[in-house]
């Protein structure tokens, strides 16, 4: 949360706003909200998966997690596409979009995300298991909620489609670097590093949970009705879904590689922090000697 908080703070300190900066601001906002929601999710797991805050807060929490997780993926993809257009198609008309235009695009993307995740607010997600009240949106046992099929399909779709787009951007930019004889300012190489960082972070964090989720769907289509048959799948999925939250923690790495202004602000921030620590060290040493 600290890294994304710093990313938000640095976003408002940027002097020159570009579409890339706008997408990064929305990305850091989405990641910050995901990590904020994890505070309540952590409390839930500390209580051994016992939700004590009622139905409406449960719906709101699951909606916020799903919406901001999807928004993070979309804006991460937007950063990759922006790099792709500027390197591979530098004269494309989309490169003339202003920061104000990027704000409009971001607003439309947020509306789409909310529209596709609002179903989580339409029905309760609480169910009793042994002596606890569980709050879950992913349904391991079949037919637990009416929106289960859409929820599974949406989760897998929001991984496969962006993965295809990001991979395509990575390959095209890499080929552009190999075919370019002149890259004096290292602009293409920087774009390759940015999109490669996006691809690695995204794949590592989302691939395990999606493979597990697809396995569960295959098992469901085999007409298995006993919840006991899904016990190992359930454990595997809830362990792997933790990586999707780790993704929100790793996105500050993307900020660093995707925008030179962010890189400069990060370096300046750490230099000031290191300088402050260096100034405090002698005073602590003097106190210790006395």
């Amino acid at each position: 949360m600290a890294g994304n908080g710093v990313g938000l703070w640095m976003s408002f300190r940027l002097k020159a706003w570009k579409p890339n900066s706008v997408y990064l601001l929305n990305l850091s906002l989405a990641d910050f909200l995901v990590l904020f929601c994890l505070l309540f999710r952590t409390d839930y797991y500390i209580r051994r998966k016992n939700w004590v805050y009622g139905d409406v807060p449960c719906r709101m929490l699951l909606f916020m997690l799903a919406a901001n997780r999807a928004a993070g993926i979309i804006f991460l993809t937007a950063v990759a596409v922006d790099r792709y257009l500027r390197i591979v198609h530098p004269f494309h008309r989309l490169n003339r979009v202003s920061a104000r235009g990027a704000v409009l695009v971001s607003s439309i993307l947020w509306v789409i995300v909310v529209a596709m995740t609002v179903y989580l607010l339409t029905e309760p997600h609480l169910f009793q298991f042994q002596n606890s009240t569980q709050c879950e949106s992913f349904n391991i046992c079949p037919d637990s909620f009416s929106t289960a099929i859409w929820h599974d399909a949406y989760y897998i779709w929001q991984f496969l489609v962006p993965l295809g787009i990001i991979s395509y951007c990575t390959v095209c930019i890499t080929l552009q670097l190999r075919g370019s004889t002149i890259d004096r300012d290292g602009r293409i190489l920087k774009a390759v590093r940015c999109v490669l960082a996006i691809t690695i972070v995204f794949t590592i964090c989302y691939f395990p949970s999606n493979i597990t989720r697809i396995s569960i769907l295959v098992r469901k289509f085999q007409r298995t009705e006993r919840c006991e048959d899904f016990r190992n799948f359930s454990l595997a999925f809830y362990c792997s879904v933790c990586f999707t939250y780790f993704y929100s923690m790793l996105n500050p790495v993307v900020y660093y590689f995707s925008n030179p202004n962010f890189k400069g602000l990060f370096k300046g921030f750490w230099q000031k922090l290191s300088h402050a620590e260096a100034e405090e060290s002698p005073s602590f040493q003097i106190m210790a000697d006395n």
Side-chain angles (χ1 to χ4, degrees), residues 194-254:
C194 168
V195 180
L196 190 60
I198 291 173
T199 306
I200 293 173
V201 169
F202 183 70
T203 304
I204 290 176
C205 295
Y206 275 92
F207 184 76
S209 62
N210 275 272
I211 289 298
T212 308
R213 201 68 206 169
I214 292 172
S215 301
I216 292 172
L217 285 177
V218 171
R219 187 70 172 174
K220 285 183 178 181
F221 284 125
Q222 292 175 348
R223 303 295 182 183
T224 301
E225 300 294 337
R226 296 185 306 166
C227 287
E228 292 80 6
D229 296 334
F230 292 89
R231 186 169 299 171
N232 292 332
F233 286 104
S234 175
L235 178 62
F237 175 74
Y238 284 115
C239 289
S240 61
V241 81
C242 294
F243 284 95
T244 65
Y245 303 133
F246 188 54
Y247 155 85
S248 297
M249 298 170 60
L250 289 178
N251 272 340
V253 176
V254 176

Side-chain angles (χ1 to χ4, degrees), residues 12-290:
F12 292 104
R13 290 179 61 88
L14 292 176
K15 296 180 181 179
W17 280 85
K18 298 179 180 180
N20 186 56
S21 305
V22 175
Y23 301 141
L24 287 173
L25 171 63
N26 284 275
L27 175 61
S28 59
L29 175 62
D31 290 335
F32 183 83
L33 291 174
V34 166
L35 296 176
F36 175 77
C37 292
L38 283 185
L39 296 176
F40 297 94
R41 205 66 179 161
T42 302
D43 174 76
Y44 170 66
Y45 281 106
I46 289 175
R47 299 176 186 272
R48 297 184 178 182
K49 299 182 72 172
N50 184 33
W51 183 259
V52 298
Y53 302 108
D55 176 41
V56 174
C58 172
R59 298 190 197 192
M60 289 296 299
L61 178 66
L62 296 178
F63 166 74
M64 289 286 290
L65 280 172
N68 287 290
R69 181 168 51 207
I73 294 173
I74 287 178
F75 286 111
L76 194 69
T77 307
V79 172
V81 171
D82 179 74
R83 295 295 89 194
Y84 161 77
L85 288 173
R86 294 186 182 279
I87 297 300
V88 182
H89 303 287
F91 301 107
H92 198 283
R93 62 181 180 179
L94 289 177
N95 290 324
R96 296 195 294 269
V97 173
S98 63
R100 182 173 296 180
V103 171
L104 177 61
V105 172
S106 300
S107 301
I108 295 173
L109 292 176
W110 275 109
V111 170
I112 293 173
V113 166
V114 171
M116 297 187 73
T117 52
V118 72
Y119 64 91
L120 288 168
L121 297 174
T122 61
E123 62 181 350
H125 298 279
L126 295 176
F127 61 93
Q128 298 295 323
F129 181 76
Q130 296 179 351
N131 294 324
S132 62
T133 302
Q134 297 193 356
C135 171
E136 302 289 351
S137 60
F138 290 100
N139 310 288
I140 303 302
C141 281
D143 303 324
S144 298
F145 304 111
S146 62
T147 57
I149 295 178
W150 165 248
H151 192 58
D152 287 335
Y154 177 58
Y155 184 79
I156 296 170
W157 170 84
Q158 73 178 7
F159 167 74
L160 294 180
V161 174
L163 179 63
I165 296 173
I166 293 171
S167 299
Y168 176 78
C169 294
T170 304
V171 171
C172 289
I173 294 175
T174 303
L175 293 176
Q176 185 75 9
L177 176 63
R178 289 184 177 181
S180 177
T181 57
I182 300 176
D183 186 24
R184 294 176 180 176
D185 57 356
R187 190 167 62 97
I188 300 178
L189 181 59
K190 291 175 183 176
V192 171
R193 290 175 178 173
C194 168
V195 180
L196 190 60
I198 291 173
T199 306
I200 293 173
V201 169
F202 183 70
T203 304
I204 290 176
C205 295
Y206 275 92
F207 184 76
S209 62
N210 275 272
I211 289 298
T212 308
R213 201 68 206 169
I214 292 172
S215 301
I216 292 172
L217 285 177
V218 171
R219 187 70 172 174
K220 285 183 178 181
F221 284 125
Q222 292 175 348
R223 303 295 182 183
T224 301
E225 300 294 337
R226 296 185 306 166
C227 287
E228 292 80 6
D229 296 334
F230 292 89
R231 186 169 299 171
N232 292 332
F233 286 104
S234 175
L235 178 62
F237 175 74
Y238 284 115
C239 289
S240 61
V241 81
C242 294
F243 284 95
T244 65
Y245 303 133
F246 188 54
Y247 155 85
S248 297
M249 298 170 60
L250 289 178
N251 272 340
V253 176
V254 176
Y255 311 155
Y256 185 83
F257 283 107
S258 61
N259 193 313
N261 294 324
F262 272 98
K263 185 180 292 188
L265 286 172
F266 266 116
K267 288 182 178 179
F269 176 78
W270 287 115
Q271 285 176 357
K272 289 181 180 179
L273 187 63
S274 301
H275 184 68
E277 291 179 351
E279 288 182 346
E280 291 179 359
S281 297
S283 61
F284 282 117
Q285 184 65 37
I286 293 173
M287 292 176 63
D289 292 340
N290 292 335

